[in-house]
Amino acid sequence: MSPAAPRQPLIDSFGRQIRYLRLSVTDRCDLRCVYCMKAQPDFLPKSELLSLEELEQVAGAFIDRGVSKIRITGGEPLVRRDVVTLIERLGGRLGETGGLDELTLTTNATQLPRFADRLANAGMRRINVSLDTLDPDRFRRLTRGGQLADTLAGLTAASRAGLKVKLNAVAMKGENEDELPDLIAWAHDQGHDVTLIEVMPIGDVGLDRAIQFLPLTAVRERLEQDWTLTPLAETTGGPARYHRIEETGGKLGLITPLTGNFCAGCNRVRLTCTGQLHACLGQEGSVDLRSALRERGPAGLHEALDQAVAEKPEAHDFDVRPGAAPSVTRSMATTGG
């Protein structure tokens, strides 16, 4: 029997090839960040989630279609039971023969003291950690009860395991804007890169997004009063635009979905833990990979991938004007961070 013909790359109608999958494994989290979810979220029944075996099968289909980078997300991905086993299995696809160039993770770091060594042994080389403040009281308020010490212990564990850490901080007006320079300086002193992110109008979190929104154009102007920001040409495959801060020697990324739209180069799709594939973070449309896989097997899965990529919109339509409804109704925890 002749070998099966290689699958065609996933290229959308605007000529963008999909090379990056953000794979959510759970909508659950041990924190309740104010920009991510409601104080009392309605978590999905576990029966609706893709099994770990199904997640691996879907990830493998993406790799076979040219995806070279996978980021494991949630919720908090490390609260899902046995998820590190999935990560270890996907780590087996790293390298030229496996087709995967990078396997990484976004986490709040609370579980890293338990899992950092296993992540490194699975082939992870860098991770993203969400951290918006170094003030314990502010951290507790923004996460609705979290303990800063838990995240800091996770950062220490990651560094000891040899994982390169990049901190993600959501810039929020009236919340942490005064602290951002100190957070960046501290991170660079610890050897961590930092990326600042504009608030995105995703899901009902019980607050008007206009109250939270802080344009990064204003943040950059503030930083440039004291520091020299040199643009860098490098990319990690995501939407951040990077700069070197000459005075600290560290790297600063800026993700600006509202003040600096980056949709023209979007090479990403997001799969929720229930198997809904969102080709655009800022649009409601999705394709049900769970049903395709369970009802029609691998062939149905690949047909659904073709459909989703063909329907990928050119750009999002985020709106953070005062009083505007969320641009999409699903939360970030449901979508995958």
Side-chain angles (χ1 to χ4, degrees), residues 2-306:
S2 61
R7 296 282 184 176
Q8 294 298 309
L10 297 169
I11 300 176
D12 71 9
S13 59
F14 303 96
R16 300 171 297 194
Q17 182 174 352
I18 305 305
R19 295 188 177 276
Y20 182 4
L21 171 65
R22 300 179 73 102
L23 183 67
S24 175
V25 297
T26 182
D27 67 327
R28 296 172 184 264
C29 189
D30 49 359
L31 301 179
R32 302 286 184 270
C33 295
V34 298
Y35 50 79
C36 185
M37 63 177 69
K38 296 184 291 185
Q40 300 295 328
D42 299 316
F43 291 127
L44 296 165
K46 293 183 180 179
S47 60
E48 293 189 16
L49 273 59
L50 291 172
S51 68
L52 296 181
E53 292 76 12
E54 288 172 326
L55 286 165
E56 182 182 1
Q57 189 171 358
V58 171
F62 273 101
I63 296 170
D64 292 342
R65 302 294 295 273
V67 163
S68 58
K69 176 179 178 179
I70 294 179
R71 177 176 298 280
I72 307 297
T73 71
E76 169 48 51
L78 294 178
V79 301
R80 178 160 180 179
R81 185 177 180 181
D82 295 332
V83 71
V84 179
T85 301
L86 169 67
I87 293 171
E88 289 168 340
R89 292 184 65 85
L90 292 178
R93 297 292 304 262
L94 288 165
E96 291 185 13
T97 58
L100 193 60
D101 293 336
E102 184 175 27
L103 178 64
T104 184
L105 173 84
T106 293
T107 175
N108 61 32
T110 60
Q111 305 298 316
L112 287 177
R114 297 172 58 198
F115 296 121
D117 286 333
R118 285 183 67 186
L119 296 176
N121 290 336
M124 279 195 182
R125 295 295 173 259
R126 65 185 188 92
I127 60 173
N128 288 0
V129 173
S130 301
L131 179 62
D132 305 309
T133 177
L134 292 171
D135 180 273
D137 293 333
R138 182 177 285 175
F139 184 94
R140 191 176 304 111
R141 185 176 71 254
L142 291 177
T143 60
R144 299 190 178 104
Q147 300 297 315
L148 176 64
D150 293 340
T151 291
L152 296 181
L155 293 175
T156 298
S159 295
R160 286 176 177 168
L163 295 169
K164 176 67 176 175
V165 172
K166 178 169 74 67
L167 300 183
N168 285 345
V170 176
M172 290 169 281
K173 182 169 61 177
E175 286 288 1
N176 64 348
E177 59 185 306
D178 61 319
E179 190 185 353
L180 293 176
D182 289 339
L183 176 62
I184 295 167
W186 175 85
H188 287 175
D189 185 61
Q190 299 295 309
H192 307 321
D193 296 331
V194 183
T195 291
L196 304 181
I197 307 170
E198 289 178 338
V199 165
M200 289 176 273
I202 297 175
D204 178 10
V205 296
L207 294 171
D208 188 333
R209 293 296 187 176
I211 295 174
Q212 295 180 321
F213 178 63
L214 175 65
L216 289 187
T217 49
V219 174
R220 177 172 177 168
E221 289 175 1
R222 166 66 182 84
L223 296 178
E224 288 181 324
Q225 293 178 14
D226 299 312
W227 289 334
T228 304
L229 275 62
T230 302
L232 300 174
E234 64 185 85
T235 178
T236 59
R241 293 165 180 155
Y242 290 100
H243 304 75
R244 179 74 60 191
I245 298 181
E246 301 301 334
E247 289 78 5
T248 67
K251 190 164 61 176
L252 174 68
L254 301 175
I255 297 181
T256 56
L258 290 112
T259 61
N261 185 297
F262 43 74
C263 297
C266 181
N267 65 349
R268 298 169 297 286
V269 293
R270 295 170 183 260
L271 185 72
T272 72
C273 53
T274 60
Q276 303 303 307
L277 183 62
H278 295 278
C280 177
L281 178 62
Q283 301 281 358
E284 290 284 12
S286 66
V287 172
D288 186 355
L289 299 192
R290 182 181 63 186
S291 293
L293 177 61
R294 291 179 180 178
E295 296 171 9
R296 293 179 285 137
L301 174 59
H302 282 286
E303 290 172 6
L305 293 183
D306 289 333

Side-chain angles (χ1 to χ4, degrees), residues 315-331:
H316 65 69
D317 53 6
F318 286 145
D319 184 357
V320 290
R321 290 175 296 181
S327 296
V328 293
T329 56
R330 64 185 186 276
S331 70

